[in-house]
Amino acid sequence: MEKTYSQAPLPFVGQKRMFATEFRKVLKRFSDKTVFIDLFGGSGLLSHITKRERPDATVIYNDHDNYRERLENIHRTNELLKDLRETAKGYPRHKKITGCMRDVFLERILQDERNGFVDYLTLSSSLLFSMKYVLNFEELKKQNLYNKLRQNDYNCDGYLDGLEVVCCDYKELADKYNADTDVVFLVDPPYMATDISTYKMDWRLQDYLDVLLVLSGHPFVYFTSGKSPILDFCEWMEQHPGIGNPFRGTGKSTLTARMNYNSSYTDIMLYKETTDAA
């Protein structure tokens, strides 16, 4: 029997593991559909769950963030973590790594960097606290390191089995299947007003709103956040149709202010079974 993953094999910021159970329930509402397209594939978890629940359907995973590269190099990540565990043997868990041991850690990581690949996102979960993530060696050197090392190997056997994997702009993929009535779009874009530094994209407000265009006329499952104002914005626009752009022709001045804050947010999943645009 094929293994069903309830979370992505390797760490990924924004994966929908907490929604796995509810997402499976929602998929049953689309039993008549034959194609599911994961427009913002991320870790591929939504695609994986969909294919396990609907093995008869075509499931297209848009791996825009190249998660496959991390999966393909999982053996290198496991070897690196194994060596770091050996170095830290007997060292207290969750204690800050300092002095000579820190130097040994960094040198071992740099060795893999020179050899062509380090999965810094996965490494971050074993060495950094407070949901911190780094993307390269220079960023890692600036951080305090802690002995949070994973004690067993990562495994991704069969995770992408049965999926059609593509890598393209989500608009291109949506346009390709726009006329297909058997399609369900799985739409999990970066959340407005949240940190997207680990994604391979840099969005403005217009980019977030453009995503809404692909929802019209197709069944979909859409994810957003309670921290995002996108739903309030849509409701307001519905109440004030035809307002147009009140800022057309205005002057513009800008300044930048810095502030630090901690906050939490609630994930939201919306779904629509009909194809009307109402």
Side-chain angles (χ1 to χ4, degrees), residues 106-138:
L106 291 177
E107 182 57 35
R108 175 61 184 87
I109 295 166
L110 187 58
Q111 177 184 329
D112 273 15
E113 173 78 18
R114 291 167 178 154
N115 289 334
F117 182 83
V118 176
D119 183 348
Y120 284 102
L121 287 175
T122 297
L123 197 60
S124 294
S125 67
S126 278
L127 296 178
L128 305 181
F129 266 136
S130 305
M131 295 296 293
K132 287 185 177 180
Y133 295 91
V134 296
L135 300 177
N136 55 58
F137 186 75
E138 292 303 314

Side-chain angles (χ1 to χ4, degrees), residues 3-67:
K3 177 181 178 181
T4 299
Y5 291 75
S6 292
Q7 65 180 34
L10 294 172
F12 189 91
V13 180
Q15 64 165 293
K16 289 296 171 288
R17 62 187 182 87
M18 302 302 292
F19 262 119
T21 299
E22 290 302 312
F23 179 62
R24 289 188 180 96
K25 295 178 184 177
V26 167
L27 286 174
K28 298 182 187 304
R29 296 178 173 271
F30 303 104
S31 59
D32 61 325
K33 302 303 178 183
T34 59
V35 181
F36 294 81
I37 303 179
D38 193 353
L39 293 177
F40 300 88
S43 70
L45 183 60
L46 294 179
S47 292
H48 169 82
I49 293 174
T50 301
K51 189 60 180 179
R52 290 296 186 269
E53 293 294 308
R54 289 291 310 279
D56 60 302
T58 297
V59 181
I60 300 174
Y61 164 43
N62 187 16
D63 184 20
H64 185 270
D65 294 287
N66 200 13
Y67 191 71

Side-chain angles (χ1 to χ4, degrees), residues 50 99 126 159 163 184 195 207 248 257 264 267:
T50 301
S126 278
Y159 183 63
L163 302 180
V184 178
D195 180 15
D207 297 306
R248 183 186 299 274
S264 61
D267 276 351

Side-chain angles (χ1 to χ4, degrees), residues 27-274:
L27 286 174
K28 298 182 187 304
R29 296 178 173 271
F30 303 104
S31 59
D32 61 325
K33 302 303 178 183
T34 59
V35 181
F36 294 81
I37 303 179
D38 193 353
L39 293 177
F40 300 88
S43 70
L45 183 60
L46 294 179
S47 292
H48 169 82
I49 293 174
T50 301
K51 189 60 180 179
R52 290 296 186 269
E53 293 294 308
R54 289 291 310 279
D56 60 302
T58 297
V59 181
I60 300 174
Y61 164 43
N62 187 16
D63 184 20
H64 185 270
D65 294 287
N66 200 13
Y67 191 71
R68 284 169 299 163
E69 181 183 33
R70 297 173 60 196
L71 296 178
E72 291 164 358
N73 286 277
I74 201 169
H75 62 288
R76 300 178 69 171
T77 300
N78 285 334
E79 190 64 29
L80 172 58
L81 291 174
K82 177 183 176 182
D83 289 351
L84 295 180
R85 284 196 300 270
E86 286 295 317
T87 300
K89 186 174 291 185
Y91 201 79
R93 292 280 294 168
H94 304 295
K95 183 176 180 181
K96 185 177 177 180
I97 298 171
T98 60
C100 292
M101 184 168 290
R102 174 184 168 89
D103 294 339
V104 173
F105 266 50
L106 291 177
E107 182 57 35
R108 175 61 184 87
I109 295 166
L110 187 58
Q111 177 184 329
D112 273 15
E113 173 78 18
R114 291 167 178 154
N115 289 334
F117 182 83
V118 176
D119 183 348
Y120 284 102
L121 287 175
T122 297
L123 197 60
S124 294
S125 67
S126 278
L127 296 178
L128 305 181
F129 266 136
S130 305
M131 295 296 293
K132 287 185 177 180
Y133 295 91
V134 296
L135 300 177
N136 55 58
F137 186 75
E138 292 303 314
E139 292 178 5
L140 182 67
K141 286 197 305 183
K142 300 174 184 177
Q143 303 296 323
N144 291 323
L145 307 184
Y146 296 87
N147 180 20
K148 295 177 54 196
L149 290 163
R150 180 183 172 93
Q151 297 302 299
N152 56 303
D153 286 348
Y154 287 100
N155 184 290
C156 63
D157 291 347
Y159 183 63
L160 299 182
D161 286 358
L163 302 180
E164 292 188 17
V165 183
V166 299
C167 181
C168 61
D169 185 273
Y170 81 93
K171 293 179 181 179
E172 176 185 338
L173 194 56
D175 287 345
K176 181 177 180 180
Y177 290 90
N178 187 54
D180 194 329
T181 58
D182 289 327
V183 164
V184 178
F185 287 139
L186 309 179
V187 189
D188 183 24
Y191 292 169
M192 189 186 299
T194 61
D195 180 15
I196 63 169
S197 59
T198 59
Y199 294 91
K200 294 183 178 179
M201 54 185 66
D202 183 19
W203 281 18
R204 303 174 302 157
L205 173 61
Q206 180 175 326
D207 297 306
Y208 292 104
L209 296 177
D210 280 347
V211 175
L212 304 181
L213 297 175
V214 307
L215 305 183
S216 180
H218 276 286
F220 63 80
V221 183
Y222 175 80
F223 294 87
T224 186
S225 161
K227 188 175 180 180
S228 168
I230 194 75
L231 298 183
D232 287 341
F233 178 81
C234 289
E235 290 178 3
W236 190 91
M237 291 298 293
E238 185 176 27
Q239 294 167 9
H240 302 84
I243 188 174
N245 180 7
F247 301 110
R248 183 186 299 274
T250 60
K252 180 180 179 181
S253 298
T254 63
L255 60 84
T256 301
R258 294 183 178 274
M259 59 181 177
N260 295 315
Y261 63 94
N262 294 313
S263 60
S264 61
Y265 59 88
T266 301
D267 276 351
I268 300 170
M269 176 172 64
L270 305 170
Y271 55 90
K272 185 176 182 182
E273 303 166 53
T274 58

